[in-house]
């Protein structure tokens, strides 16, 4: 059984992360795939933005450059 540990008292904010994100079509939801090649690159950028929008703070990915740009774009959109 997997449990959830409470944060130590010095932690004021809990962060969430998600893994493992891939850019190849075979690992993406159908609506984010491009073309029919399972090894071709789909719209991983949109997947990162989607998860950041859902409240994920960080992602683990084989394509950190895309994730960083997506995070910056998400934060820029979120600021008033």
């Amino acid at each position: 059984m997997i449990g959830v540990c409470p944060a130590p008292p010095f932690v004021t904010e809990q962060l969430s992360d998600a893994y493992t994100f891939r850019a190849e079509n075979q690992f993406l939801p159908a609506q984010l795939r491009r073309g029919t090649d399972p090894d071709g690159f789909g719209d991983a950028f949109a997947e990162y933005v989607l998860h950041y929008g859902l409240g994920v703070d960080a992602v683990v990915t084989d394509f950190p450059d895309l994730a960083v740009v997506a995070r910056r774009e998400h934060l820029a959109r979120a600021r008033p």
Side-chain angles (χ1 to χ4, degrees):
M1 179 175 177
I2 297 175
V4 176
C5 297
F10 59 84
V11 174
T12 59
E13 179 181 346
Q14 290 191 359
L15 302 175
S16 65
D17 63 341
Y19 65 94
T20 298
F21 288 81
R22 299 290 304 256
E24 298 93 337
N25 283 327
Q26 62 185 313
F27 301 109
L28 291 170
Q31 67 272 22
L32 298 180
R33 296 176 186 162
R34 292 183 181 157
T36 57
D37 181 1
D39 294 323
F41 278 19
D43 193 358
F45 187 89
E47 186 177 38
Y48 299 136
V49 171
L50 170 70
H51 283 82
Y52 290 137
L54 293 172
V56 170
D57 298 295
V59 297
V60 177
T61 177
D62 291 334
F63 305 94
D65 53 335
L66 289 176
V68 167
V69 173
R71 177 81 174 145
R72 286 182 185 148
E73 184 171 306
H74 165 72
L75 291 174
R77 288 183 193 171
R79 291 190 181 122

